[in-house]
Amino acid sequence: MSESPVCRYRATVEYDGTDFLGYQIQAAGRTVQGEIEASLQKITQSFVRIDGAGRTDAGVHATGQVIAFNVAWRHSLTELHRALNATLPRDIVIRTLTTTDRDFHPRFGALSRTYRYQIINQRWPSVMQQRYAYHIERSLDVEAMNIASRYLIGSHDFASFGKPPQGENTVRRVTQAEWLVEAGNRIVFEITANAFLYRMVRNIVGTMVQVGSGQLLPDDVQQILLAKNLKLSAAPAPAHGLCLVNVTYPDST
Amino acid sequence: MSESPVCRYRATVEYDGTDFLGYQIQAAGRTVQGEIEASLQKITQSFVRIDGAGRTDAGVHATGQVIAFNVAWRHSLTELHRALNATLPRDIVIRTLTTTDRDFHPRFGALSRTYRYQIINQRWPSVMQQRYAYHIERSLDVEAMNIASRYLIGSHDFASFGKPPQGENTVRRVTQAEWLVEAGNRIVFEITANAFLYRMVRNIVGTMVQVGSGQLLPDDVQQILLAKNLKLSAAPAPAHGLCLVNVTYPDST
């Protein structure tokens, strides 16, 4: 029997983060990476390591996580896609699957990441949206939150809003940061940056909610940013409101 | 201690039907009615029977179920509302609560009910929407489904699409029946009638999906309707795509 050549694959992954300890594999506990690697092992009968674009926290969701892995697969791409979705648990689905360059790396090759943070701003929680949106009872001033958001745009030292992976600096380039009002009392924060610090979006949202409820002025966000002191940001907003929606790459990959 | 007078209350209720055997209380098993009555008993220390507008099936959701009940309550309306939501399980929430007329009955007094049925029409299921939408892989012809929907509008004998409660006839008046295409490959059926037969919406949707996938022609729906034979409709679409969204009453109540 001839060996199939090893190819590199790139996939877009959607998951409901509720029942995961996060994206990244750990010594114990259920992780997105662990489940996908287990599916690949079941399908290919060999251990396959996957690389992911964003190491989302426990409880954080994704509609656009990007992963890559090398496997020797003798059947069609469609059959690999089908086999993966057939063996994955109900809370993970592979949305797209393609072959990719040998040197494609979803994390190191990414140009930008976009996250969405959903808030339901009404008197009582919405049963249907409670898995994916943070319920806030007091009315939020979205205009003030948008004024504050503008201070984030550009290249800044975000040390007040998150910790870097070991040894890295805390400068990040934010290209979009905006609050949108959607139907049904839903307020959504969309933020795009070249990369994010640990808990950066949740720390920003926690601070923005203080602006929206009048505990901070929009200008205070600029002062917090300039202070480069993680103690000055508000407590992080809960994980379940957050979703990694998109990762971009140079056209060539 | 003086007794509080007994008042009648009207509430709009949202629930996630996933973990219920349906709205209506049964000899055994978890029901929406049972949970709300248990909360009222906890709060008032006496048994309170509630009346509901629609007896939704197991797995069917609601954002606009209407209920009514009589209780003697010595505190404010807001406090009753808060006490109810504080004691109800996470998958039920009281959205609005008001006092109402002594003779208000949510089922017998209703002028119309509106249901929504959600379909996700794409190659792979959406993890985030799987609790509330029926996933269909093959591409549906929404235009054909809308042509078929028009045959439903008006007063018709809907015996081909559902069974009546005991002794009732099968004529119902449908005032709206329409498929809408929403963002993210979501196709939504909205139907309003004075009242519905048992499983009527799900039987209609099951039949419409056959129209959308080319197994039936739009005209066949008219033939099925005229035949007044329940065996001719398709199998009911799954419960989890269905949601009771609105119930209307004469202005006076």
Side-chain angles (χ1 to χ4, degrees), chain A residues 14-17 61-63 78 81-83 85-86 90-96 122-132 137 185 243, chain B residues 14-17 61-63 78 81-83 85-86 90-96 122-132 137 185 243:
Chain A
E14 177 177 340
Y15 50 84
D16 179 330
H61 317 288
T63 54
T78 304
H81 196 164
R82 193 185 303 274
N85 278 334
R90 260 173 77 93
D91 47 5
I92 305 180
V93 72
I94 306 291
R95 299 296 297 268
T96 65
Q122 60 191 23
R123 180 72 183 83
W124 300 105
S126 165
V127 169
M128 307 288 205
Q129 301 193 67
Q130 66 190 352
R131 288 172 83 88
Y132 309 116
E137 196 179 322
N185 302 326
C243 185
Chain B
E14 178 177 342
Y15 50 84
D16 179 331
H61 316 288
T63 53
T78 304
H81 196 165
R82 194 185 303 274
N85 278 334
R90 258 175 78 90
D91 46 4
I92 304 178
V93 70
I94 306 291
R95 299 296 297 268
T96 65
Q122 60 191 23
R123 180 72 184 85
W124 300 106
S126 166
V127 169
M128 306 289 205
Q129 302 194 64
Q130 66 190 351
R131 287 172 83 89
Y132 308 117
E137 196 179 322
N185 303 325
C243 185

Side-chain angles (χ1 to χ4, degrees), chain B residues 109-173:
Chain B
L111 292 180
S112 75
R113 284 93 170 155
T114 300
Y115 281 89
R116 271 170 70 96
Y117 194 97
Q118 297 198 136
I119 290 172
I120 292 292
N121 191 27
Q122 60 191 23
R123 180 72 184 85
W124 300 106
S126 166
V127 169
M128 306 289 205
Q129 302 194 64
Q130 66 190 351
R131 287 172 83 89
Y132 308 117
Y134 173 30
H135 173 239
I136 295 180
E137 196 179 322
R138 61 186 181 280
S139 183
L140 297 175
D141 180 349
V142 179
E143 206 176 320
M145 291 157 82
N146 266 326
I147 292 168
S149 299
R150 281 179 219 128
Y151 293 118
L152 306 174
I153 309 275
S155 284
H156 302 285
D157 186 331
F158 283 95
S160 292
F161 292 107
K163 284 182 190 161
Q166 56 210 37
E168 279 184 34
N169 73 47
T170 45
V171 174
R172 297 292 184 273
R173 193 180 65 257

